[in-house]
Amino acid sequence: QVQLVESGGGLVQAGGSLRLSCVASRSIFSINAMGWYRQAPGKQRELVATITKGGNTNYADSVKGRFFISRDNAKNTVYLQMNSLKVEDTAVYYCAAIPRTHSWGQGTQVTVSS
């Protein structure tokens, strides 16, 4: 099964930006869709962005217009560009293949301060 390693999180002030990366242990070319999820303390994990093999994207309403997902098949990497960050974006962010047939990675912590 593919293994995914997320990175790029950190502490940022509200209004700032971060770019998350998700590197796969093997080619993602054949994976139909990839997604970024997040889980805030005390809340369920939620899907925030998806990208298909063909490059079609979809976003949760809460991040639409601020977050942008992309994939670089040559680098086996999926990115999440996060702009205009809000305190409520604070969470651990995970990437996954859709449908997920692998274990979750360790995620990357994003903390947005006011």
Side-chain angles (χ1 to χ4, degrees):
Q1 64 177 7
V2 66
Q3 292 180 322
L4 301 171
V5 178
E6 302 90 347
S7 64
L11 174 63
V12 63
Q13 286 190 327
S17 298
L18 284 173
R19 189 176 82 153
L20 306 184
S21 299
C22 168
V23 179
S25 59
R26 64 163 178 82
S27 173
I28 62 171
F29 179 78
S30 61
I31 299 178
N32 283 332
M34 297 289 297
W36 279 96
Y37 296 75
R38 68 185 181 187
Q39 187 167 21
K43 295 187 177 181
Q44 288 190 331
R45 197 168 307 195
E46 63 171 341
L47 179 63
V48 297
T50 61
I51 185 166
T52 67
K53 185 177 179 179
N56 293 317
T57 58
N58 204 3
Y59 300 92
D61 287 343
S62 59
V63 306
K64 201 169 292 184
R66 300 187 298 120
F67 288 14
F68 301 93
I69 188 172
S70 60
R71 63 193 286 171
D72 186 336
N73 292 333
K75 294 183 178 180
N76 300 334
T77 302
V78 181
Y79 302 99
L80 185 67
Q81 177 67 43
M82 306 187 297
N83 301 324
S84 302
L85 282 161
K86 302 178 180 180
V87 172
E88 51 264 42
D89 294 321
T90 295
V92 180
Y93 284 72
Y94 304 86
C95 66
I98 299 173
R100 186 175 63 86
T101 58
H102 57 84
S103 301
W104 290 105
Q106 84 287 352
T108 186
Q109 175 71 48
V110 172
T111 303
V112 184
S113 64
S114 58

